[in-house]
Amino acid sequence: MRSILITGGAGFAGSHFVRLLLAAEPEARVVTLDLLTYAGSRDNLRDLPDPSRHTFVQGDINDAALLDELFARHEFDALVNFAAESHVDRSILGPGAFLQANVNGAFQLLEAARRHWTDPRGRRFLQVSTDEVFGELGPDDPPWDESSPYAPRSPYAASKAAADHLALAYHHTYGLEVLLGRCSNLYGPYQHPEKLIPLVIERALSGQPVPLYGDGQQMRDWLYVEDGCAGLLAVLRAGRPGQAYNLGGGHQPTNEALVRRICDLLDGRLPGSPHRPFSRLIRRVADRPGHDRRYALDTARARAELGWRPRVPLEEGLNRTVDWYLQNRQWVEARARSGEHQAWLRQNYSQRESED
Ligand code: NAD
Ligand code: TYD
């Protein structure tokens, strides 16, 4: 790969991928295209291994003229689409932005690839997908594999499912070498404090209630972000066009167990904190509408075909994540204290009376 476009590369997962790609592909030039919504920031790209091979462009994946200019100038031979609205709760309160970024945005990228890759052979389009397209599992259901039926239940999941279908349609209809890399719940450094794990850390450190939706017995399949990105890179390099690859972490605690574990880790690191034990801050609040009960991915295909497997156990990943958030207070506070985030907290949490 010589020239690669990463969309949404200033967000959480995308910024880890840009870092990994520059290190793993020493000849490649990487262009990041990112709108810099509330979720994106150039700070997330501050420690790139070889910044001279990286170009940052602020812009919208829906801007067809900008895509034409970038495709003409950089002659991409690969594109990885991370750009999206990514928070389920925001999709419940305002689904329109999700259709625009996740569905129409993916469509515009596919169209640009179709216009510019007149011979698509050897040029790869990786759409970053999610296990949420499958809906929810019952307690005894087996994990989803790549042939499980799509059954999304939130506007976010539905918008991601639509993008998957479009991307595969462009493979079958126009011969684009489309791949789907389907990650389970990612966590790690640089994740915005609206998402569960950084939210718990941030709220606990500032001595504020830690909101747990519903009965707290929902389960997610947690995957350390560097493992997820390594899986996506393996899909980009060696996946079969037209195929999806499930990338799951294989660790599925209940939300309550996860939140308590994070509180325990903070207790151990901050013996002098007036807020200890941090688990005292946990509050049950009104559930998310349509809250998916359980996610779990069967990763046999990625293991067999790509030799990929997650390397970082949940306990180690949580330790690394807690340490990063403790050592990067400025990064966290710039987001957590922003007017935008405060408005979000009021919008999402003020109606959820504590159920304790
Ligand atoms: P994020 O919200 O941290 O980052 C999204 C990035 O996309 C931001 O930098 C934002 O500025 C950018 N963006 C949004 N709309 C854009 C547009 N119209 N044009 C250009 N840039 C735009 O999200 P994330 O958690 O890093 O997720 C990245 C991708 O991975 C998403 O596609 C998401 O669906 C997928 N994914 C995430 C997870 C997870 O647990 N975080 C799991 C599975 C899949
Ligand atoms: P989240 O990080 O939003 O990821 P997703 O909804 O994509 O899985 O949430 C992870 C889980 O944590 C999910 O079951 C919802 C739950 N949750 C809470 O209990 N409280 C919160 O304040 C948030 C943001 C999430």
Side-chain angles (χ1 to χ4, degrees), residues 6-16 32-42 44 56-63 81-87 97 100-102 104-106 109 127-132 156 159-160 181-187 190-192 194-195 221-223 225 232 247 297:
I6 309 295
T7 64
F12 161 53
S15 62
H16 284 274
T32 294
L33 171 62
D34 196 298
L35 187 55
L36 299 183
T37 68
Y38 78 95
S41 166
R42 294 198 66 173
N44 299 357
F56 180 80
V57 179
Q58 181 173 4
D60 192 333
I61 56 171
N62 282 295
D63 183 343
N81 181 25
F82 286 91
E85 289 291 333
S86 66
H87 191 28
Q100 181 62 6
N102 302 4
N104 204 51
L109 291 171
Q127 170 69 15
V128 180
S129 180
T130 164
D131 55 3
E132 304 192 25
Y156 164 70
S159 70
K160 294 295 291 183
R182 193 176 285 131
C183 296
S184 62
N185 277 62
L186 299 166
Y187 70 101
Y190 294 108
Q191 188 167 31
H192 193 282
E194 69 186 0
K195 303 283 170 53
D221 183 348
W222 294 97
L223 175 64
V225 62
L232 291 170
L247 304 166
L297 283 180

Side-chain angles (χ1 to χ4, degrees), residues 37 121 132 175 178 198 205 225 227-228 256 265 334 336 341 343 350:
T37 68
R121 281 171 302 177
E132 304 192 25
V178 167
L205 290 180
V225 62
D227 277 337
E256 181 175 8
L265 292 178
H341 189 64
S350 61

Side-chain angles (χ1 to χ4, degrees), residues 145-262:
D145 66 19
E146 286 80 357
S147 60
S148 298
Y150 277 47
R153 289 162 32 95
S154 72
Y156 164 70
S159 70
K160 294 295 291 183
D164 285 6
H165 288 312
L166 265 178
L168 288 179
Y170 272 63
H171 169 69
H172 295 297
T173 308
Y174 305 114
L176 281 190
E177 296 198 353
V178 167
L179 304 138
L180 302 184
R182 193 176 285 131
C183 296
S184 62
N185 277 62
L186 299 166
Y187 70 101
Y190 294 108
Q191 188 167 31
H192 193 282
E194 69 186 0
K195 303 283 170 53
L196 180 69
I197 290 178
L199 180 94
V200 171
I201 299 171
E202 168 55 27
R203 303 281 295 180
L205 290 180
S206 50
Q208 299 189 65
V210 170
L212 192 59
Y213 293 164
D215 66 3
Q217 298 309 298
Q218 306 80 10
M219 297 159 113
R220 297 292 180 264
D221 183 348
W222 294 97
L223 175 64
Y224 192 64
V225 62
E226 289 178 4
D227 277 337
C229 288
L232 291 170
L233 182 57
V235 174
L236 184 64
R237 282 172 165 166
R240 283 179 293 137
Q243 295 298 316
Y245 291 84
N246 285 354
L247 304 166
H251 300 283
Q252 294 129 11
T254 64
N255 287 345
E256 181 175 8
L258 178 74
V259 169
R260 288 194 181 280
R261 184 69 196 126
I262 296 167

